[in-house]
């Protein structure tokens, strides 16, 4: 592996934050009941939607996703897992890394991205605009950061 790009990492060497796991558990239960309305009736979801309307909308989109409807338990299982045993093990990663994140995302916490960038020896952390506040600006910034990262990887031919 020569390079790694992490876009809005959500968790590292531990489960997701308890409040995030709670939100996902509410989603799993509502998917099992086959009822978006039952999710919307939950007071915790109402607070989540008030505070974070973009991510809450993504949760509601799960009711139109066949895989989410078929396997709702993934929303309980995955947030409780830890993708890495120890984030410090990334110190042996031999390639370059780009870590992209935005501040204010309740699920993809900027501090998680910061931890990845600190653990990866040849990495750069780039803050991008919030996906939920301005998707076009987010997409432009992500594309620009990835383009720069990839351009810098291409060896320059020396003229003789």
């Amino acid at each position: 592996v020569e390079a790694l790009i992490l876009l809005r990492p959500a968790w590292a060497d531990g489960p997701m934050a308890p409040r995030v796991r709670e939100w996902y558990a509410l989603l799993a239960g509502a998917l099992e009941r086959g009822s978006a309305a039952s999710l919307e009736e939950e007071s915790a979801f109402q607070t989540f939607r008030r505070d974070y309307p973009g991510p809450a909308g993504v949760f509601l989109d799960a009711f139109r996703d066949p895989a989410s409807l078929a396997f709702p338990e993934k929303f309980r299982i995955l947030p409780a897992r830890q993708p890495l045993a120890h984030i410090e093990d990334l110190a042996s990663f031999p390639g370059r890394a780009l870590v992209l994140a935005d501040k204010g995302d309740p699920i993809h916490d900027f501090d998680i991205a910061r931890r990845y960038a600190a653990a990866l020896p040849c990495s750069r952390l780039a803050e991008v605009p919030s996906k939920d506040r301005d998707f076009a600006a987010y997409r432009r910034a992500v594309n620009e950061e990835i383009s720069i990262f990839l351009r810098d990887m291409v060896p320059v031919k020396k003229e003789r």
Side-chain angles (χ1 to χ4, degrees):
V1 175
E2 291 182 39
L4 173 67
I5 297 173
L6 295 173
L7 179 58
R8 299 169 60 232
W11 70 118
D13 54 355
M16 287 184 171
R19 71 179 183 156
V20 175
R21 291 195 315 268
E22 178 186 343
W23 295 332
Y24 277 117
L26 290 172
L27 174 60
L31 285 165
E32 288 165 351
R33 292 185 296 277
S35 171
S38 71
L39 178 61
E40 293 177 292
E41 291 168 0
E42 295 279 353
S43 64
F45 183 78
Q46 291 169 6
T47 301
F48 176 52
R49 183 170 48 193
R50 182 196 68 223
D51 295 344
Y52 307 105
V58 172
F59 273 43
L60 292 170
D61 288 345
F63 290 89
R64 292 191 298 273
D65 175 42
S68 295
L69 291 165
F71 304 105
E73 66 274 11
K74 71 181 178 182
F75 293 108
R76 280 194 191 92
I77 294 168
L78 294 177
R81 298 257 171 106
Q82 64 183 66
L84 303 170
H86 306 284
I87 198 165
E88 297 80 15
D89 293 345
L90 294 176
S92 64
F93 182 74
R96 296 177 58 238
L98 172 64
V99 184
L100 301 169
D102 68 88
K103 293 181 179 169
D105 184 323
I107 296 172
H108 306 92
D109 190 282
F110 192 82
D111 285 335
I112 299 290
R114 189 177 317 204
R115 289 185 63 218
Y116 272 105
L120 290 158
C122 189
S123 68
R124 185 168 66 83
L125 173 62
E127 182 180 351
V128 296
S130 169
K131 179 179 174 182
D132 299 318
R133 289 191 194 103
D134 187 344
F135 185 75
Y138 162 81
R139 187 174 55 208
R140 277 192 307 275
V142 166
N143 287 339
E144 181 178 333
E145 291 291 347
I146 291 173
S147 294
I148 291 167
F149 180 74
L150 294 175
R151 183 194 67 217
D152 290 348
M153 289 188 63
V154 176
V156 177
K157 291 184 179 180
K158 294 183 180 179
E159 294 188 30
R160 295 180 190 212

